[in-house]
Amino acid sequence: DTAVSQTPKYLVTQMGNDKSIKCEQNLGHDTMYWYKQDSKKFLKIMFSYNNKELIINETVPNRFSPKSPDKAHLNLHINSLELGDSAVYFCASSQDSGVYGYTFGSGTRLTVV
Amino acid sequence: DAKTTQPPSMDCAEGRAANLPCNHSTISGNEYVYWYRQIHSQGPQYIIHGLKNNETNEMASLIITEDRKSSTLILPHATLRDTAVYYCIVIFLGNTDKLIFGTGTRLQVFP
């Protein structure tokens, strides 16, 4: 059983399109996150959700909108995709705000052409 | 600001201990040291964390100096599967919902 699963694993799309990445965790964790890893391999936090409430929203364009229908899901919707959005996006989850570590998904490689 | 300094890369022979250093000279009393690693094409993986005492788990040992200005992650018997980028992160316990990753150390384990 995959603890944190993301779909799709790969996503190739044209500029201007709207796309979503889904994330589900079966660990019963109370906090979920989205991270972006760019071409230089820098990992940056984008969003953090605790029990369906947004608690962190870093300097991310408002074209990116996280949606959490329940505690086990945190989807990432991206409007009007741009070339610079090409990256690997990682979903993660944790209990107790990550004191005992995060569990990451395997990533979604987004390529905007 | 990652607040940590790590060597960009290291090599280790398979079966030997891999000792990965991390400097965190500006660490404050309430900040913990966390280690994660990222194997190629996978998401980061939590390894271990500590405050001031040395810690050990099934994956690794964490040695923190008495002044807490540096620490060392030890993989006692490195295998080829330990080849990864290792991240040392310093963070307040209350801020662990906002992990900030630096550039890490790329560990290459060779046969």
Side-chain angles (χ1 to χ4, degrees):
Chain A
D1 277 348
T2 304
V4 179
S5 59
Q6 298 177 225
T7 53
K9 191 169 176 62
Y10 300 96
L11 182 55
V12 181
T13 187
Q14 290 187 326
M15 282 175 55
N17 283 351
D18 303 338
K19 290 293 179 185
S20 291
I21 306 172
K22 295 185 177 181
C23 178
E24 176 181 3
Q25 55 98 1
N26 62 6
L27 298 166
H29 286 169
D30 58 15
T31 308
M32 295 185 72
Y33 314 81
W34 277 106
Y35 275 78
K36 177 182 179 181
Q37 188 164 40
D38 61 23
S39 57
K40 296 184 178 178
K41 303 296 185 184
F42 290 122
L43 263 167
K44 293 183 181 179
I45 189 168
M46 301 174 68
F47 299 103
S48 169
Y49 257 79
N50 182 272
N51 283 320
K52 295 176 58 182
E53 287 189 31
L54 179 66
I55 56 175
I56 290 174
N57 180 357
E58 292 298 304
T59 51
V60 175
N62 57 15
R63 297 181 296 103
F64 291 79
S65 54
K67 294 208 175 7
S68 181
D70 55 57
K71 208 171 80 162
H73 296 83
L74 181 63
N75 304 323
L76 183 64
H77 189 75
I78 316 170
N79 289 328
S80 304
L81 277 155
E82 300 177 357
L83 294 177
D85 297 333
S86 295
V88 180
Y89 292 83
F90 289 100
C91 177
S93 72
S94 73
Q95 187 61 31
D96 297 330
S97 300
V99 168
Y100 298 105
Y102 292 17
T103 301
F104 280 82
S106 55
T108 295
R109 181 174 294 278
L110 171 67
T111 303
V112 182
V113 297
Chain B
D1 291 334
K3 300 180 65 172
T4 62
T5 304
Q6 298 177 253
S9 63
M10 293 181 64
D11 290 340
C12 179
E14 190 176 20
R16 297 291 192 123
N19 297 307
L20 293 100
C22 180
N23 285 329
H24 30 80
S25 58
T26 60
I27 193 170
S28 65
N30 297 329
E31 289 184 306
Y32 281 66
V33 180
Y34 278 75
W35 283 84
Y36 281 75
R37 72 179 181 183
Q38 187 174 21
I39 295 170
H40 180 62
S41 298
Q42 297 182 23
Q45 178 188 22
Y46 164 80
I47 301 173
I48 199 167
H49 75 280
L51 181 63
K52 53 184 175 182
N53 296 324
N54 297 338
E55 302 287 345
T56 296
N57 63 20
E58 65 278 3
M59 288 182 69
S61 294
L62 174 60
I63 309 296
I64 302 175
T65 58
E66 195 168 338
D67 63 7
R68 304 210 321 122
K69 292 183 186 298
S70 66
S71 59
T72 301
L73 179 75
I74 301 173
L75 308 178
H77 305 287
T79 70
L80 298 179
R81 286 178 294 183
D82 292 321
T83 293
V85 177
Y86 287 77
Y87 297 97
C88 170
I89 302 168
V90 166
I91 194 163
F92 285 107
L93 207 57
N95 285 352
T96 49
D97 56 4
K98 188 181 174 181
L99 274 186
I100 298 175
F101 289 82
T103 54
T105 295
R106 180 171 296 280
L107 175 68
Q108 179 70 51
V109 181
F110 57 91

